[in-house]
Structure formats: C-alpha cells, structure tokens
C-alpha cells in the first residue's frame, strides 16, 4: 500500500494499523504520523470497517515523538509550522480507535494512545511522559488527557518526575481498560474491536460522539446533548431494526443507516 512507516491490513471488520519503524522504536516522525492519518482516513471511508486498532511492536508501541527530527527546531520554526498540530487529525475520526500497547508508550507514544478511544495493554507495557528529562513538556495532549484519565495528583507526579507507569498501575489508575498477557494482546484487542464492529456503525459513532462530548461540556449540557443524540437514533433504520429484532426474538441485521 505504499507506506514506509506503518503496515495496514483488514482483519474482518477491523482496520489494523501497525506502527513499523523498529530501528527507532516507532519514534513518531512527521512522516509516520502523516501515514497514520492517511490510513485512518481510508478506514473512515471504508464501509466494511467498523472499528480500528493501532498497535506497535512487542518492544515499543512508540517511544515518543522523534527527538532527532525535533531537536534542531527554533521557537519560530515550531510556531510557524504549528508543530504537532497534524496529530490532532485523528481525533476527528468517527469510528472507534483502540490502542493495543505492548512495551514503551512514552511521551508522544503515550499521547497517541490517549488520543485513541480506549487503551488495552499487554502486561509488559510501560507508559510515561518523560519530556521533562529532555527540557520540554508534553505537547500533544499529555498534560490535558492524562489528568482526565488518572486525576491531577498522579498526572502531576508522572509529568513532573518523568517516571514510568507499569501496566498493572495503568489499569489500577484507569488509564487502560484492561491488561492481558503480552502475547495475547493483539488477538484480545482484535476480539474487542470485532465485537464493537458487529454493532450498527452509525449507533457506534453516535455513542463515541456522546462519550467524547463529556470531555468538553458541563453535566447539564452533556446530558442534553446525549438526549438529543438519543432522539436522533429514532431517525435511523438501525433503531427500527434493533428494537424490532428484539421484539421478534431474532438477531438484528444492521443497515448502517
Ligand atoms: C528518536 C529514538 C527515540 C525517540 C528511541 N529512539 N526513542 N529516536 N526519537 N523518541 C532510537 C534510539 O536513538 C536508538 O537509535 C533506537 O531508537 C533504539 O533505542 P535505544 O535507546 O537504544 O533502546 P533502549 O536502550 O532499549 O531504550 C529504550 C527507551 C529509550 C527507554 C525507550 O530509547 C528512550 O528513552 N527513548 C526516548 C524516550 C523519550 O524521551 N520519549 C519522549 C520523546 S519527546 P540508534 O540509532 O541509537 O540505534 C516527546 C515529545 C512529545 O515525545 C511532544 C508531543 C508529541
């Protein structure tokens, strides 16, 4: 498919993206992020794909933004090209994205995982925001998303010390939805993704949109927004099909409309 830094393959209804820059532990260069965005766009447009999984290697999900590519920038370079802004393109994808993390998810790697809708970790996964050790700060949502995931005190400790978080603690603190043996990571995550993809695509995307709005809205506004989206499901064929199938005691066949 012409990619240099990633491998894409469809597994049933799941679109898989494997970060594949082993010599640099999947360091997230502009080229790699550009390819991830391109692959996500194609999966978003592909009607056969119901959910997406992003994974890395056993040693590294991604060891951060590419330090060698970044280091020479001046402030004006970074500001004028709005460095890292292209990373946020992936948050516009409507289909759910699951990060399957084995090994290191550091700096931008941890931030990439947190931009996904959920994280499944292998038992040897290591998370952290070590930017402070490089004289910089998390630049792709780390200071904002980590606090929402694990709370202020723990987020502050990790970001200010640069210490790592192991998989067990990551689950205990709520950063990851589950921990599985490293060798089962991909198969378990694909199972989860396949289950999500077995539901109506439009309903899945409405759910994702409603849950994500909780990041941005007050409780009252969020509940109102949720209710409006709930009302809108009654304009879909899939609500009619889903409820009718229940009443007729059969399995639904989704139209994705
Ligand atoms: C560029 C990297 C890299 C990175 C590893 N490599 N991480 N290159 N950017 N982030 C390269 C190494 O230079 C080395 O290349 C090769 O990958 C293998 O790495 P080693 O260090 O030899 O492996 P190991 O000893 O096993 O140590 C693994 C590690 C370490 C603990 C993960 O690589 C490490 O600390 N990496 C940096 C982690 C980090 O600081 N991440 C945050 C980046 S800043 P050669 O050519 O020598 O073989 C960031 C800013 C975010 O993410 C801003 C928002 C995105």
């Amino acid at each position: 498919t012409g990619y240099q830094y990633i491998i894409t393959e469809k597994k049933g209804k799941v679109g898989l993206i494997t970060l594949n820059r082993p010599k640099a532990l999947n360091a997230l260069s502009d080229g790699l992020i550009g390819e991830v965005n391109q692959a996500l766009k194609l999966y978003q447009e592909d009607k056969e794909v119901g959910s997406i999984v992003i994974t890395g290697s056993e040693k590294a999900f991604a060891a951060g933004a590419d330090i060698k590519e970044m280091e020479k920038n001046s402030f004006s370079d970074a500001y004028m090209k709005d460095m890292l802004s292209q990373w946020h393109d992936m948050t516009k994808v409507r289909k759910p994205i699951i990060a399957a993390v084995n090994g290191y998810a550091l700096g931008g790697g941890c931030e990439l995982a947190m931009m996904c809708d959920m994280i499944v970790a292998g038992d040897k996964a290591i998370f952290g925001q070590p930017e402070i050790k490089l004289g910089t700060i998390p630049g792709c949502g780390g200071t904002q998303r980590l606090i929402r995931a694990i709370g202020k005190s723990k987020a502050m400790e990790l970001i200010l010390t640069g210490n790592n978080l192991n998989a067990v603690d990551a689950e205990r603190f709520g950063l990851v939805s589950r921990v599985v043996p490293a060798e089962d990571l991909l198969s378990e995550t694909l199972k989860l993704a396949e289950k999500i993809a077995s539901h109506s695509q439009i309903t899945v995307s409405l759910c994702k949109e409603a849950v994500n709005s909780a990041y941005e809205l007050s409780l009252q506004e969020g509940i109102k927004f949720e209710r409006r989206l709930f009302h809108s499901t009654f304009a879909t064929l899939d609500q009619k099909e889903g409820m009718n199938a229940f009443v007729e005691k059969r399995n639904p066949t989704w139209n994705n409309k």
Side-chain angles (χ1 to χ4, degrees), residues 129 132 138 142-143 146-147 154-163:
Q129 298 289 160
I132 194 141
T143 63
L146 195 58
I147 189 176
K154 288 189 171 75
M156 205 54 114
E157 181 181 329
L158 286 174
I159 290 167
L160 293 181
T161 60
N163 287 345

Side-chain angles (χ1 to χ4, degrees), residues 23-25 27 59 63 65-68 84 87 108 111 131 134 139:
K23 287 203 181 97
L25 303 183
K59 175 151 189 200
D66 189 324
I67 299 169
K68 293 165 192 168
L84 301 185
W87 288 44
E111 292 171 305
E131 287 89 344
L134 298 167

Side-chain angles (χ1 to χ4, degrees), residues 51-125:
S51 63
I52 299 162
V53 171
I54 302 181
T55 195
S57 70
E58 203 168 314
K59 175 151 189 200
F61 177 73
D66 189 324
I67 299 169
K68 293 165 192 168
E69 183 177 82
M70 234 177 354
E71 68 164 333
K72 293 281 177 340
N73 280 284
S74 65
F75 166 74
S76 57
D77 294 335
Y79 180 78
M80 291 309 284
K81 68 182 175 202
D82 202 4
M83 185 172 150
L84 301 185
S85 60
Q86 66 152 338
W87 288 44
H88 293 280
D89 289 358
M90 68 177 287
T91 63
K92 294 179 199 136
V93 174
R94 292 211 139 144
K95 293 175 184 175
I97 308 174
I98 308 176
V101 176
N102 256 335
Y104 295 110
L106 298 178
C110 188
E111 292 171 305
L112 176 66
M114 288 192 292
M115 277 195 269
C116 297
D117 297 301
M118 63 189 100
I119 305 174
V120 179
D123 55 8
K124 305 214 171 57

Side-chain angles (χ1 to χ4, degrees), residues 32-43:
L32 187 150
I33 290 293
E35 290 188 1
V36 169
N37 282 332
Q38 176 62 18
L40 287 171
K41 184 169 175 288
L42 293 176
Y43 283 149

Side-chain angles (χ1 to χ4, degrees), residues 139-153:
C140 217
T143 63
Q144 307 302 301
R145 291 198 177 90
L146 195 58
I147 189 176
R148 285 165 166 81
I150 69 175
K152 177 176 164 183
S153 206

